[in-house]
Amino acid sequence: MRIVSGIQPTGNLHLGNYLGAIRNWVAMQDEWTAKGATCLYFLADLHAISMPHVPAELAANTREMVAALVSCGIDPDRSILFNQAQVPQHAELQWLLNGTARMGWLNRMTQWKDKAGKNREGASVALFTYPVLQAADVLLYQATHVPVGEDQKQHLELARDVAQKFNNDFASEDKPVFTLPDPIIPPQAARIMSLRDGNSKMSKSDPSDMSRINLTDDADTIMQKVKKAKTDPEPLPAEIEGLAGRPEANNLVGIYAVMAGVTPADVLRDFAGKGFGAFKPALGELLVEKLSPMAARYRTLREDRAALDAILAKGGEKARALALPTLNAAYDALGLVRS
Ligand code: TYM
């Protein structure tokens, strides 16, 4: 088993990242590395330059994201934790896969359509070919499982299409170059929504910080953000069906359920008939209780730049070694002479 996933080091780690992906990274590390699986988790800094960025902020955010991931439970002794920029094989494989990926496939990507918006001519080429780099990220390591939130599903389907076409075009049936990776999406937290709008996902790029809970938020900030979260005037229903058409209520109940390790039906059993005046403080307290140990570790770790750089250097070295055989196989399959 090879478990591979990434996160862009742009801004803070938020509750959507944590519940949609990182919690699963940690669970898979804890469960599978003991049984011989390899987990590779990386900071997608090469992806981050597909949008306008400030270089000094990217460097600082990269180190801070390492601190955040370790605080959440990623153990650099059991998982390979690194940033793409220290493993040039990612960019190399992307170029090789650019010959296989089709313009039509990339044109259909919803992230491309959302982020480029009406200004496609002004968008970077990197934003367009972003999913090919993401395919390279996982195919390079023969990933079998990729824990992600729902929003990354389409990119992983593209990675499978690229792998399939490359294998068909350039490898023999009994000796494929790439493994087709399976996305692992948590059923209950696949898509955590903004606290300000139950119809858009919680995201780092939302201009309002009130829309998300960050790992760096202190207890007062968390309580405040939950208290100000958009809701409707109705009390909570007794049954799940009663949440239909109430996206904000649905989102908050969902967050409560995953944080408490229960089902949304359990939450409704406890809070049926109660208004948000009662539910919000309970949710806020639960979030503070669960997140504050991680936030405390984060505040200490982020100060130790030498330790964070050492984690990335060690992870990069291990990742480079694991990447080479597949990269070499891809060069060979394409008839590229390198001796
Ligand atoms: P990124 O940095 O946007 O998000 C990191 C992870 O967090 C998940 N996520 C969410 N899950 C549930 N609800 C939300 N509101 C929410 N917001 C974010 C994302 O699904 C993701 O799993 N392109 C990727 C990074 C990447 C990658 C890869 C991932 C690059 N290469 C290879 C997997 C495999 C991204 O921008 O994720």
Side-chain angles (χ1 to χ4, degrees):
M1 248 174 108
R2 279 276 166 87
I3 298 150
V4 179
S5 199
I7 182 166
Q8 289 197 64
T10 41
N12 287 318
L13 189 110
H14 59 69
L15 193 64
N17 299 133
Y18 178 68
L19 295 179
I22 312 306
R23 222 169 48 120
N24 247 350
W25 295 12
V26 175
M28 294 181 90
Q29 161 196 275
D30 291 349
E31 183 171 356
W32 295 106
T33 54
K35 297 177 187 161
T38 307
C39 291
L40 293 114
Y41 298 127
F42 63 89
L43 309 173
D45 48 3
L46 293 182
H47 279 106
I49 63 167
S50 61
M51 294 293 276
H53 78 286
V54 179
E57 281 175 14
L58 177 58
N61 286 339
T62 299
R63 295 191 175 95
E64 285 182 8
M65 193 59 89
V66 180
L69 294 177
V70 173
S71 310
C72 291
I74 300 296
D75 172 359
D77 290 328
R78 282 185 291 157
S79 294
I80 301 177
L81 181 54
F82 65 101
N83 59 320
Q84 287 167 321
Q86 297 200 50
V87 187
Q89 288 83 0
H90 287 245
E92 265 182 277
L93 184 61
Q94 180 194 17
W95 183 257
L96 302 188
L97 298 179
N98 275 340
T100 294
R102 307 285 95 184
M103 294 285 287
W105 300 355
L106 297 179
N107 258 324
R108 281 196 289 278
M109 294 292 110
T110 50
Q111 176 183 286
W112 158 247
K113 291 192 247 182
D114 289 350
K115 288 204 172 160
K118 291 208 170 61
N119 183 23
R120 287 195 180 191
E121 296 295 309
S124 74
V125 175
L127 188 63
F128 188 66
T129 59
Y130 180 116
V132 188
L133 178 58
Q134 185 156 342
D137 294 337
V138 295
L139 301 182
L140 190 55
Y141 302 105
Q142 306 287 345
T144 53
H145 299 78
V146 184
V148 285
E150 172 82 29
D151 61 346
Q152 297 302 317
K153 198 170 161 213
Q154 195 187 33
H155 284 159
L156 287 170
E157 281 161 4
L158 183 117
R160 291 175 65 94
D161 290 344
V162 169
Q164 184 97 60
K165 181 167 166 52
F166 189 103
N167 288 341
N168 283 344
D169 292 353
F170 304 112
S172 60
E173 220 166 282
D174 56 330
K175 224 168 160 269
V177 174
F178 298 120
T179 304
L180 270 55
D182 281 323
I184 306 292
I185 299 173
Q188 268 197 39
R191 211 172 152 78
I192 302 294
M193 308 312 276
S194 154
L195 299 181
R196 308 300 289 170
D197 172 6
N199 290 310
S200 59
K201 70 169 184 182
M202 187 177 285
S203 152
K204 296 173 222 186
S205 52
D206 192 315
S208 166
D209 196 57
M210 293 301 281
S211 70
R212 59 187 162 259
I213 307 274
N214 303 306
L215 182 67
T216 44
D217 290 342
D218 59 23
D220 286 350
T221 311
I222 293 177
M223 294 304 286
Q224 196 64 15
K225 284 181 175 176
V226 174
K227 196 170 144 207
K228 292 252 167 74
K230 185 177 166 197
T231 42
D232 55 46
E234 303 298 319
L236 283 165
E239 310 285 338
I240 295 288
E241 295 71 42
L243 291 173
R246 299 177 66 187
E248 284 85 12
N250 190 36
N251 187 40
L252 296 186
V253 169
I255 292 174
Y256 191 105
V258 278
M259 291 305 295
V262 300
T263 66
D266 295 332
V267 179
L268 293 183
R269 228 180 338 267
D270 289 345
F271 288 95
K274 295 192 179 145
F276 286 99
F279 180 68
K280 281 178 166 179
L283 174 60
E285 277 162 28
L286 179 64
L287 284 166
V288 169
E289 180 202 322
K290 300 281 181 187
L291 297 179
S292 56
M294 290 183 258
R297 280 197 292 277
Y298 171 72
R299 281 186 208 104
T300 315
L301 266 174
R302 65 183 291 195
E303 302 304 328
D304 195 347
R305 181 172 160 165
L308 300 174
D309 285 348
I311 289 171
L312 290 179
K314 186 174 84 169
E317 195 180 334
K318 289 186 190 165
R320 287 193 295 275
L322 283 180
L324 268 182
T326 302
L327 184 68
N328 288 337
Y331 272 111
D332 288 347
L334 292 167
L336 295 161
V337 178
R338 294 192 306 148
S339 57

